[in-house]
Amino acid sequence: MQEKMPVLREPVKRRRGGKKLLAVLVLLFIVLLGVLFFNSSISKVSTVTVEGQKVLQAADIRKAAGIAAGDSFFGTPAGKIEARVRALKPVKNVAVAKSFPGGITIRVQEYATVAYSLSKKGEMAAVLANGTSVPSGSDLVVDKPILSGWKAGDPVLTALCKALAAIPEQSLSDFSEIIPAPSTSYPDRIKIYTRTRFEVITAVSLLQDKIATMNAVIEIQPPGIITLLLADKYAPFVPEEPENPATTQKETTQ
């Protein structure tokens, strides 16, 4: 008898239609969730907080940032917001932090205020370390020098503001007024009037190196003129001569 060979059955092909349908349904479900999420309040900006500003208004910073409550939280990257705010001249550095859901914090560092200027209309403005002027409020406490007689865009003024930023606060607060006084030898020559009643003649390029000398003279000498250029000189103010007592007495008797 011949042995019967077993009949090999062909493998049953599984139908893939069910898997494809399931994948499509999952994809549609994900898309639906995404649409619902990005149209819900949880994906929107709820608060924009501004910190660190002194001369700028928070509203101006928010406007420059181009982001407000109700905007898409994920629509604008933090780096793009930082670039917008950094374009403001008073801003030295800026950092933007996002906190889900909906919170955006803008932390700014402005250039330091080194002086003030007074317009022809009597309006006071803060002058920053980079030479930028920003209008100030009426309740301003003037604890920095007033810059008088300067023209807008003067490169010497910009250099002066940078030099003032490097001066110790105690010395800067003693300056009451700074005016330009250029000469042939020193185009950046200036005059500084102090609250301690000294007149200081120096140059913007020499100011930072001459501060120690100026402070030493002010500390031990009566008010006078201090010249701090190639050579350092000091001369007290000439006191007014008192009236002749005899003449005064004679005029009184008459």
Side-chain angles (χ1 to χ4, degrees):
M1 295 180 64
Q2 294 182 349
E3 295 182 359
K4 293 182 178 182
M5 298 293 292
V7 179
L8 298 176
R9 296 180 180 179
E10 293 184 2
V12 179
K13 295 182 179 180
R14 296 183 178 179
R15 303 176 67 180
R16 296 183 178 179
K19 287 187 175 181
K20 289 184 178 179
L21 179 60
L22 180 61
V24 171
L25 290 176
V26 171
L27 182 61
L28 289 175
F29 181 71
I30 293 173
V31 171
L32 180 61
L33 285 179
V35 171
L36 291 175
F37 174 78
F38 285 106
N39 282 279
S40 66
S41 59
I42 198 172
S43 68
K44 305 296 183 182
V45 175
S46 57
T47 57
V48 180
T49 305
V50 179
E51 299 176 352
Q53 80 281 4
K54 294 181 180 178
V55 296
L56 287 172
Q57 298 295 322
D60 294 334
I61 296 174
R62 291 191 186 96
K63 183 178 179 180
I67 195 78
D71 292 345
S72 173
F73 182 79
F74 302 99
T76 307
K80 193 170 184 178
I81 298 174
E82 290 174 355
R84 292 172 179 173
V85 176
R86 197 177 288 112
L88 295 172
K89 290 183 178 180
V91 175
K92 185 177 182 180
N93 289 310
V94 59
V96 173
K98 288 187 172 184
S99 55
F100 187 80
I104 294 180
T105 301
I106 304 173
R107 297 183 179 89
V108 299
Q109 179 189 4
E110 299 170 338
Y111 285 95
T113 299
V114 296
Y116 296 98
S117 63
L118 191 63
S119 69
K120 294 180 180 179
K121 296 180 179 180
E123 298 172 344
M124 191 72 72
V127 183
L128 309 184
N130 65 342
T132 301
S133 295
V134 182
S136 301
S138 57
D139 57 345
L140 178 69
V141 177
V142 181
D143 56 350
K144 303 288 192 305
I146 300 292
L147 303 181
S148 303
W150 294 90
K151 294 181 180 180
D154 189 340
V156 177
L157 175 60
T158 303
L160 172 62
C161 293
K162 185 177 180 180
L164 293 177
I167 292 176
E169 187 69 25
Q170 183 177 358
S171 298
L172 186 61
S173 62
D174 187 40
F175 295 171
S176 64
E177 185 180 12
I178 302 176
I179 63 173
S183 66
T184 304
S185 301
Y186 294 95
D188 62 341
R189 196 179 74 150
I190 56 175
K191 284 186 179 182
I192 303 173
Y193 299 95
T194 73
R195 291 181 172 85
T196 46
R197 297 185 297 140
F198 283 82
E199 179 182 323
V200 182
I201 301 172
T202 186
V204 173
S205 55
L206 301 174
L207 181 58
Q208 191 173 351
D209 295 332
K210 297 291 186 177
I211 284 294
T213 303
M214 183 194 72
N215 289 339
V217 174
I218 291 176
E219 192 172 326
I220 62 175
Q221 297 292 349
I225 301 175
I226 306 173
T227 302
L228 303 172
L229 294 169
L230 182 61
D232 300 336
K233 296 185 294 183
Y234 161 75
F237 290 128
V238 179
E240 295 182 2
E241 295 184 2
E243 296 181 358
N244 189 328
T247 304
T248 304
Q249 185 177 2
K250 183 178 179 181
E251 291 177 353
T252 303
T253 56
Q254 290 177 354

